[in-house]
Every structure is written in structure tokens, then in C-alpha cells.
Amino acid sequence: MDVHTRQGKYARSVTYPVRLPCTLGMEGAGVVVEVGEGVSHLAPGDRVAWCISWGAFAEYASVPAARVAQIPNAIGFDQAAAAMFQGCTAHYLIEDVARLQAGNSCLIHAASGSIGQLLVQMAHRLGARVFTTGSSAEKCAIALQRGADQAWQYQGFAERVLAETDGLGVDVVFDSVGKVTLRESFKACRMRGLIVNYGNVSGSITDLDPMELGEAGSLFLTRPRLNDHIADGPTVQRRADAVFAAMLEGSLTVDIEERYTLEQVQQVHARIEARQQIGKAVVWLDRELY
């Protein structure tokens, strides 16, 4: 979201309004130093994490209390910061949107990405059959390490899914790629299946006729956003608790690619834009918290 914001993709967004001047960084973790009037569930000294609140690239951040989740003492600040946005996103996509269950099947695009890796692990943990895609053999290998049943590069993925499902297709497709994969994702989905388009890293489709969903098998297409699935403080804490508990029990791994300083943020953004990033990048503003 930091990169997309720089590129102006949220300039007219209602859900994620961003106006200049803006301090980037929409997720983080740290220690509460002060609470506002009327805040009773947080206190100075609490260890917390948050997301969807701008201004994390600073020594102090002012965060709405309803966006903050307390973190267990056994979870480090780096792990909490790395898990908050992607963890809550994967949780609502699996639990609320797809309602994935044991015996279901799903296709996860960009499965080596930060959200993709978590989706794979959560789906595998539930007992679903997990098919995945990646842009390279290395990225496909990561998806397999996280629990995917199959991992392919993008070329011909719909045909591969159909071959593995006796021509039926999967119950759910998680598509964060957008323009170059979405229509092909329709072909990989079963009749009356669900397409979850939660990102558009390859661009947006601007000419989609709803008739296409009918022709593809009366499909359901949704474009959810995290903001609407963490609408209040208790929901934020509930999702964070589920993610942190899974991390502590060892069923969910949040991969941190590297830890950077604030002076290296430009380098991090360049790696993300070049699709070189595998795992999460963490920026440390106070090394004493390490």
C-alpha cells in the first residue's frame, strides 16, 4: 500500500483516503507512550501493533485506538509488525469471505508473497486442497514449502487446475494479480464458485461485463478490502489474536526477508516494485526494541 500510495492509486479512494502531506507507513508495532481521552483498554507501556493507519515511518505515530491490538509478550515487535496487515487480511479472506472448510479446494495466485504465504498456510491448516501459482520456480518452491499441494508458473494454470480437479475447477480463487490473471481465474473456478480479487498488481480490468460471470458458470466475484473487515477495536483484536496464536503454536510462519533502517526505505520500495521481495521487509526506527 505504501508503493501504491506513492503511485497515486489511492488518490481518489473513499476507503483509504490519502491526502498530502502524508507520512507513509500504514502498519507497525511499538510501545504506547500516551493514550487519548476516553481510551480505557490501553495504557502507557502496552506492547501493541496496528495497521491501516498512516504515519508509521516516524519515531512517534498517532494511531486511532480502534486500530490497535495488544500483542503477547512472546511475539517480538518485528514479528508483530510483519504479521498485522497481511495476517488480518489472510484471516478475513479465509474465514469471512471464502469460509473455507476441510475438503474445499482453492487456487492462490502469487503464493510466495506475504499474504499469499499466509493464505496457503491457513488453507492447508483447515484441510483444504491448495493449488498455487508463482512467477518463477523459486517462488513456486516457497509455496510448496508452506503447504501447497501443487505450485505452477502462470502459463496455462487454468488447464492445470481443471486437469487436477477432473474438469470441475476449484471452489475458490484468491487473485491478487488482477488484469493478467482474472479472466483466466474464471476458467479455473467451478460452477457457482467464488472469485476473490483482493489486489491488482498487474493493473485493473476496466471492461468487465457481468455477463462474463454467467458465461463462466454463474460465478460470484467480490473485491473486498481489509478496512471493512476490521471496522472496530474488538474485531481488530480478535483477528490479531488468531494470527498471533497460530504463530505461537507453530502452524503459521511469517517470513521476514530482511530488517532495514529508515534510511533504506527507498531500497525496500524498489525491491517490492521489481517483484524481488519474498517475505516481509521490516524497518526499525528504534533499535532498542530489537
Side-chain angles (χ1 to χ4, degrees), residues 64-163:
R67 293 293 196 205
V68 171
Q70 298 195 52
I71 59 180
N73 289 332
I75 296 287
F77 287 108
D78 54 348
Q79 287 287 321
M84 194 65 186
F85 177 83
Q86 277 84 6
C88 288
T89 297
H91 185 268
Y92 92 77
L93 289 175
I94 292 282
E95 299 287 341
D96 295 37
V97 178
R99 300 181 181 179
L100 212 60
Q101 301 177 16
N104 287 160
S105 58
C106 65
L107 170 64
I108 301 170
H109 288 308
S112 69
S114 295
I115 296 177
Q117 289 190 40
L118 299 185
L119 287 173
V120 170
Q121 293 175 79
M122 289 182 181
H124 175 74
R125 180 187 183 191
L126 288 172
R129 193 177 183 192
V130 184
F131 303 109
T132 62
T133 60
S135 61
S136 68
E138 178 189 10
K139 292 182 177 181
C140 288
I142 290 171
L144 293 172
Q145 291 170 9
R146 294 297 182 224
D149 293 286
Q150 296 282 349
W152 311 295
Q153 295 186 46
Y154 289 103
Q155 183 68 32
F157 71 81
E159 287 76 11
R160 290 176 179 270
V161 168
L162 293 174

Side-chain angles (χ1 to χ4, degrees), residues 49-63:
W50 70 90
C51 64
I52 313 295
S53 179
W54 296 104
F57 289 171
E59 291 177 307
Y60 293 91
S62 178
V63 182

Side-chain angles (χ1 to χ4, degrees), residues 233-247:
T235 302
V236 172
Q237 190 67 59
R238 174 175 63 85
R239 296 201 191 283
D241 286 345
V243 171
F244 295 146
M247 292 168 65

Side-chain angles (χ1 to χ4, degrees), residues 163-176:
E164 291 288 339
T165 57
D166 297 323
L168 297 176
V170 294
D171 298 300
V172 183
V173 178
F174 296 99
D175 192 324
S176 63

